[in-house]
C-alpha cells in the first residue's frame, strides 16, 4: 500500500525506516538516523519550494514502512516534478518495489500536471544510477562536488519525460 505520510502520525515509522536504511544515509551524508533527519524529510523542499506542496509518500507492507518518497513540484521549472528521495529499507531492496513505487510517483506527477520528472543520483551510488537509467532516465547533467552533511559528492541530475 502506498499512502501520504504525516509528520505527526508517521515520524516514528520514518525514523524506524531510516534506521533500517542507515547504509544509504551514511553514504549520502555520514549522518546517523535521528529525529532531526526525520524532521528534514518532512520539511525539505527544493530551492524556492514549499514543503507543504510536496508529496511525502510511504510504501507499507504488513503495516510496516518499507520505503519513502519525497516528490516536489515546480522545480527546476513550472512543469517539472523533482524526486528528492526514494529510499528503501535494506530488507526491501532488490525485489521490484522500486519500479512499482516509481510507477506510482510518475502517475502522481502527471496528475499534478508535470511533464518531466527529475532527480539527482550520487556518483558514489552506481547501483542507484543503473536503476534510474534502466527506468528511462537520462540526459545526465553533472554538478561539481558539493557537501552533503559530512560527505562531498558529485551529483548527476537525470530526467525522464512523463
Amino acid at each position: 500500500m502506498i499512502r501520504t505520510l504525516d509528520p505527526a502520525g508517521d515520524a516514528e515509522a520514518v525514523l524506524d525506516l531510516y534506521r533500517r536504511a542507515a547504509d544509504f544515509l551514511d553514504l549520502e551524508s555520514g549522518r546517523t538516523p535521528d529525529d532531526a533527519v526525520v524532521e528534514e524529510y518532512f520539511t525539505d523542499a527544493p530551492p524556492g519550494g514549499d514543503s507543504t506542496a510536496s508529496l511525502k509518500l510511504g510504501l507499507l507492507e504488513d503495516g510496516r514502512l518499507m520505503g519513502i518518497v519525497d516528490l516536489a513540484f515546480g522545480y527546476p521549472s513550472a512543469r517539472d516534478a523533482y524526486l528528492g528521495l526514494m529510499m528503501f529499507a535494506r530488507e526491501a531492496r532488490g525485489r521490484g518495489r522500486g519500479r512499482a513505487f516509481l510507477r506510482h510517483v510518475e502517475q502522481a506527477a502527471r496528475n499534478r500536471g508535470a511533464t518531466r520528472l527529475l532527480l539527482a543520483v550520487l556518483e558514489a551510488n552506481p547501483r542507484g544510477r543503473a536503476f534510474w537509467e534502466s527506468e528511462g532516465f537520462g540526459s545526465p547533467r553533472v554538478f561539481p562536488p558539493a557537501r552533503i552533511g559530512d560527505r562531498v559528492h558529485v551529483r548527476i541530475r537525470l530526467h525522464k519525460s512523463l
Side-chain angles (χ1 to χ4, degrees):
M1 173 176 82
I2 297 171
R3 68 169 175 82
T4 301
L5 297 175
D6 171 72
D10 294 310
E12 285 301 317
V14 171
L15 179 57
D16 176 61
L17 175 66
Y18 268 106
R19 287 178 177 143
R20 293 180 292 125
D23 59 329
F24 177 79
L25 188 59
D26 182 56
L27 170 74
E28 177 198 46
S29 64
R31 296 175 69 185
T32 56
D34 61 14
D35 291 336
V37 170
V38 172
E39 182 178 342
E40 285 174 24
Y41 167 73
F42 282 110
T43 60
D44 194 33
D50 176 4
S51 65
T52 62
S54 297
L55 285 179
K56 311 293 183 175
L57 300 173
L59 173 70
L60 291 95
E61 292 178 3
D62 299 322
R64 191 167 193 200
L65 193 59
M66 302 303 277
I68 56 175
V69 155
D70 181 4
L71 183 63
F73 297 92
Y75 179 82
S77 59
R79 300 286 310 262
D80 291 336
Y82 196 89
L83 184 57
L85 176 68
M86 185 163 83
M87 182 181 74
F88 293 90
R90 278 185 292 258
E91 70 270 18
R93 297 176 195 157
R95 299 182 183 173
R97 290 172 180 91
R99 285 176 172 71
F101 210 177
L102 179 58
R103 298 294 165 264
H104 184 91
V105 166
E106 290 171 343
Q107 190 58 53
R110 281 188 206 96
N111 290 347
R112 290 229 190 150
T115 58
R116 188 169 70 150
L117 182 59
L118 296 97
L119 58 88
V121 64
L122 304 176
E123 185 178 60
N125 186 2
R127 288 184 62 209
R129 182 173 181 180
F131 168 79
W132 296 117
E133 289 177 341
S134 76
E135 291 299 311
F137 286 81
S139 301
R141 179 177 173 198
V142 179
F143 289 85
R147 181 164 295 284
I148 302 174
D150 293 337
R151 308 281 188 246
V152 175
H153 289 287
V154 170
R155 292 166 295 126
I156 303 161
R157 189 167 73 189
L158 304 172
H159 77 267
K160 178 180 184 177
S161 296
L162 294 175

